[in-house]
Amino acid sequence: MPSSHEPGGPEPLPLTPDRLERLADFCNEAGMLRHTPRSGYAFLGSGKESVAEHSYRTTVLGYLLARMAGLEPSRVVMLCLFHDLHEARTGDFNYVNHRYDTCRARAALEDATEGTGLGPDILDAWDELEAAETRAARLAHDADQLDLICNLQAELSRGNEFAREWLDSALKRLRTPEGRELAEAVLRTDPNHWWYGRVDKTWWVRHGLPDEG
């Protein structure tokens, strides 16, 4: 049977019954992020999302920032995709939590990937992101913050003025010119513009029907 290995790609994972079982565990663990809330919104007083929802848009934003920077996006996407995987085990540690306790994120990732064959890839990505020494890591960091900035801008538009203070802090955490440029665009754009502001206003009155007059 011919090999399915593509030139330049990683070697296929050697599969055994035990490894397949651990990979099934990994699939279920990643699914737990759908049920893991981002805990900071309780302090903000409005808004909510799961870690899975946050991780998805962070990954999209990472791809976008990499393209803005002229960087091949796969590494940034990889860093974003798994940046909060550990929270399936630890829960989401918000900024208040971190004042009093610590999160053993890497230990959680070591346990999550044990026996899967995925450990080197995911742990290397975690270490790179934490060190923040590469351009890809700094863009991934900004993608994480930009997801929050988008949410805070939406909450501000709904009348939560406290979100303005959070926005100020999040903007100061950005590390790249691409991140700052995109954040400026987010702040000057109505969060509803993508669906409401790009159609003729009569659509919302007539639903596309011809004018009776």
Side-chain angles (χ1 to χ4, degrees):
M1 183 175 178
S3 171
S4 61
H5 179 230
E6 295 184 6
E11 291 291 333
L13 284 174
L15 298 177
T16 64
D18 285 346
R19 174 160 288 172
L20 283 167
E21 183 176 310
R22 284 295 296 123
L23 288 171
D25 287 340
F26 186 84
C27 293
N28 289 320
E29 182 164 349
M32 187 64 189
L33 296 178
R34 294 176 179 172
H35 309 290
T36 305
R38 293 261 287 169
S39 59
Y41 291 99
F43 295 93
L44 182 63
S46 68
K48 64 178 181 178
E49 68 177 343
S50 71
V51 175
E53 290 168 326
H54 163 67
S55 295
Y56 173 72
R57 187 164 61 177
T58 295
T59 303
V60 172
L61 288 164
Y63 170 82
L64 177 56
L65 289 175
R67 291 300 310 274
M68 289 173 64
L71 194 67
E72 202 291 315
S74 60
R75 187 59 179 173
V76 181
V77 167
M78 174 71 178
L79 298 179
C80 292
L81 183 63
F82 292 110
H83 81 285
D84 277 344
L85 176 64
H86 60 279
E87 292 182 358
R89 293 175 181 248
T90 67
D92 174 47
F93 264 52
N94 60 63
Y95 284 87
V96 177
N97 299 156
H98 278 291
R99 290 179 63 189
Y100 306 103
D101 208 344
T102 56
C103 174
R104 296 174 58 221
R106 198 181 196 282
L109 286 176
E110 289 170 358
D111 290 343
T113 58
E114 183 180 5
T116 65
L118 304 175
D121 288 345
I122 292 176
L123 292 171
D124 284 353
W126 171 259
D127 291 339
E128 180 179 347
L129 188 61
E130 283 293 282
E133 293 176 351
T134 66
R135 196 177 183 195
R138 290 190 291 272
L139 290 169
H141 169 89
D142 280 8
D144 185 18
Q145 294 303 313
L146 276 161
D147 177 66
L148 176 61
I149 288 166
C150 288
N151 282 345
L152 291 172
Q153 179 70 355
E155 293 308 314
L156 184 61
S157 75
R158 296 179 184 122
N160 187 341
E161 283 296 321
F162 190 35
R164 197 181 305 277
E165 293 189 37
W166 287 40
L167 267 170
D168 183 59
S169 296
L171 291 166
K172 290 175 181 175
R173 290 194 291 266
L174 294 172
R175 303 182 183 185
T176 68
E178 294 80 12
R180 288 186 285 271
E181 185 176 9
L182 185 54
E184 288 173 4
V186 167
L187 294 182
R188 64 175 179 260
T189 303
D190 186 326
N192 296 307
H193 187 253
W194 69 271
W195 66 272
Y196 188 79
R198 291 190 174 274
V199 296
D200 189 287
K201 294 300 184 285
T202 60
W203 169 263
W204 306 108
V205 179
R206 302 288 305 149
H207 296 274
L209 296 174
D211 193 334
E212 293 176 352

